[in-house]
Amino acid sequence: TSSDVNENVTTNETQRIENEIVEDNDYDENVQSEKKTLKTFRDGPETPSEYERSQLETCNYIEYTTLPVDLSKISKITPLGNLAPPGHTFPTEHLFLHLSAGGSTTDTHPLYMAGDAHVVLISFSYGITQDPVDYTIYFAPCKDVIGYYNHVKELSPQLMKLVNDGKCEFSGETKTTRCNIQTFEPVKAGSLVGRVGRLQGNFDFGTFNLSKNLTFANPSRYGTRSLHIQCPFDYYDSGMKEQFFNLIERNDNNQCGMIAQDVPGTLKGNWFYGNSRADSGSDWDKYLAFVQDNEDPAKSVISIGGVFTNAGKVEFSPLTSGLTNREFSQVKSDGSVYCYNAQSCRILVQMTSGTELKIEKQSGVCSSGSTFVSPSIYNR
């Protein structure tokens, strides 16, 4: 399964603030000697700082003009919201572009910059997949939109020089293990930025827009990127967008898929065990989601990271009445215990308030009068 290298960066690590004096060369010549102080350290490593954003173009509807790879090499595209616990217990924030079956070849394919942009972060780790190294490239075509490619297997000479010349951003990082390098490098649309494929056989393409907000029951549990995820194909013209959509298999009109599925006050959406956060790479086993399948939204899925049972998925066709396999958005804090049939077991769920639930895996199938023995507590 795919995972974002930058998810290993914790919230605490991104709270440092550094002030520096920046000379503004665009001032009127009468005040060119003046300088102003700006907050230049980023709130998150992949999000341009206030000063950097002021140097970027105002966003228009079309920001991407170049295909990231030769689409004739792509067998299919997995839409947003893929579920593969524990690494992707919550719906994924990016699409998967599949070049080959995993493990079938070491071939790589050229990867191109989607539009005129500034590369703002290069992250990389060794040994997280079956390939030696995985890079993530974050790039900003305008002041609000940030795109990213994940599971890049090689970097272009231009970007490799940034890695060689740069320094790791966070304490404990090294260039031989894991590293995040901040930069602000302009790259033209269509420029080679790396190569993708190898044994992994796919790569991720994601985009977030700081001017567009997703709705979560408790936004404070999420990092900046998660709150603003968009479909990257929406930032191409209609003809290029259609080329991508032709490679996506999804059984409804929302072709690109869905991320935020929370319905506040109901069971539907994302849940957390303890004080876990969505932007902490160490908390994956503490996630729990009650959502629609990303390729067949008519199918409901309980996506389990761990804690009360092993990581995995429970899939079924939801019912609109009764206490068994009930549609998630219809389950509320009404005193009832709801039951979901899984393979060779059952899962009991009860919302004790609009933001807390009890859950337990038991042997047997759903029946009337189900009661808890030793439930786990999740919240939002």
Side-chain angles (χ1 to χ4, degrees):
T1 63
S2 174
S3 61
D4 291 334
V5 173
N6 199 52
E7 288 172 339
N8 291 324
V9 179
T10 65
T11 302
N12 289 337
E13 287 176 317
T14 61
Q15 296 305 305
R16 298 182 292 112
I17 296 179
E18 174 184 304
N19 290 318
E20 71 181 39
I21 305 298
V22 178
E23 182 175 358
D24 189 338
N25 293 322
D26 294 328
Y27 279 176
D28 183 89
E29 62 183 15
N30 292 328
V31 292
Q32 278 188 357
S33 62
E34 291 184 9
K35 298 177 180 180
K36 66 178 181 177
T37 301
L38 292 172
K39 176 183 172 184
T40 58
F41 188 80
R42 298 172 183 171
D43 291 330
E46 73 273 20
T47 305
S49 68
E50 176 186 352
Y51 177 72
E52 289 169 329
R53 291 181 69 198
S54 73
Q55 309 305 300
L56 295 169
E57 298 290 333
T58 299
C59 296
N60 299 306
Y61 180 71
I62 303 299
E63 307 302 338
Y64 299 150
T65 58
T66 303
L67 299 174
V69 293
D70 178 356
L71 290 189
S72 70
K73 306 296 184 182
I74 300 296
S75 59
K76 72 170 186 175
I77 297 175
T78 300
L80 296 169
N82 185 57
L83 300 167
H88 289 304
T89 302
F90 290 160
T92 54
E93 300 177 350
H94 49 72
L95 300 105
F96 300 79
L97 281 72
H98 298 269
L99 294 152
S100 62
S104 64
T105 179
T106 58
D107 291 346
T108 60
H109 303 267
L111 177 70
Y112 303 104
M113 181 55 66
D116 290 345
H118 282 71
V119 172
V120 295
L121 181 74
I122 300 173
S123 296
F124 56 96
S125 290
Y126 289 87
I128 64 167
T129 66
Q130 58 268 58
D131 296 311
V133 62
D134 288 76
Y135 297 92
T136 301
I137 304 168
Y138 288 88
F139 51 93
C142 60
K143 62 181 54 183
D144 292 325
V145 175
I146 298 95
Y148 60 97
Y149 299 139
N150 190 31
H151 296 300
V152 180
K153 304 305 180 177
E154 301 173 27
L155 293 180
S156 67
Q158 179 185 6
L159 297 195
M160 198 68 229
K161 186 176 188 304
L162 297 177
V163 169
N164 292 334
D165 294 347
K167 63 183 182 67
C168 299
E169 184 59 44
F170 298 105
S171 175
E173 293 184 337
T174 70
K175 291 184 180 179
T176 58
T177 55
R178 177 175 65 88
C179 185
N180 289 266
I181 294 177
Q182 293 191 29
T183 183
F184 199 63
E185 178 80 358
V187 178
K188 300 298 289 184
S191 297
L192 179 73
V193 293
R195 299 185 71 87
V196 290
R198 288 188 66 86
L199 291 173
Q200 172 134 4
N202 64 54
F203 72 98
D204 307 341
F205 187 7
T207 292
F208 58 104
N209 186 332
L210 299 174
S211 70
K212 296 181 181 294
N213 300 317
L214 297 183
T215 300
F216 290 99
N218 184 357
S220 67
R221 293 261 198 180
Y222 299 81
T224 299
R225 182 183 63 191
S226 299
L227 298 174
H228 305 285
I229 290 294
Q230 303 291 304
C231 174
F233 307 148
D234 285 343
Y235 294 85
Y236 285 92
D237 66 32
S238 59
M240 299 179 82
K241 178 177 178 179
E242 190 65 24
Q243 292 182 58
F244 290 109
F245 279 8
N246 288 337
L247 292 166
I248 298 177
E249 296 180 3
R250 182 174 163 90
N251 297 333
D252 77 350
N253 294 327
N254 189 1
Q255 191 77 357
C256 211
M258 295 176 61
I259 301 301
Q261 298 190 37
D262 287 6
V263 179
T266 78
L267 186 61
K268 190 170 184 180
N270 297 342
W271 293 82
F272 300 83
Y273 182 78
N275 294 321
S276 57
R277 292 184 52 83
D279 56 353
S280 173
S282 63
D283 286 344
W284 289 352
D285 62 330
K286 300 179 180 67
Y287 301 158
L288 175 65
F290 299 86
V291 292
Q292 294 168 278
D293 182 76
N294 71 316
E295 293 184 336
D296 183 5
K299 182 168 60 180
S300 290
V301 183
I302 304 175
S303 181
I304 305 163
V307 180
F308 70 94
T309 189
N310 294 331
K313 297 190 296 184
V314 177
E315 303 175 342
F316 60 93
S317 297
L319 302 175
T320 57
S321 63
L323 300 178
T324 299
N325 290 355
R326 188 68 178 266
E327 158 61 39
F328 300 142
S329 63
Q330 298 174 358
V331 175
K332 302 179 181 180
S333 178
D334 57 9
S336 298
V337 176
Y338 292 84
C339 185
Y340 295 91
N341 282 311
Q343 186 175 7
S344 72
C345 67
R346 64 183 182 182
I347 295 177
L348 303 185
V349 178
Q350 182 183 40
M351 289 189 64
T352 54
S353 74
T355 58
E356 183 180 271
L357 65 83
K358 295 194 296 186
I359 188 166
E360 184 177 353
K361 173 189 172 183
Q362 296 181 352
S363 60
V365 298
C366 294
S367 60
S368 61
S370 299
T371 58
F372 292 102
V373 176
S374 181
S376 297
I377 306 299
Y378 283 74
N379 53 69
R380 284 177 155 163

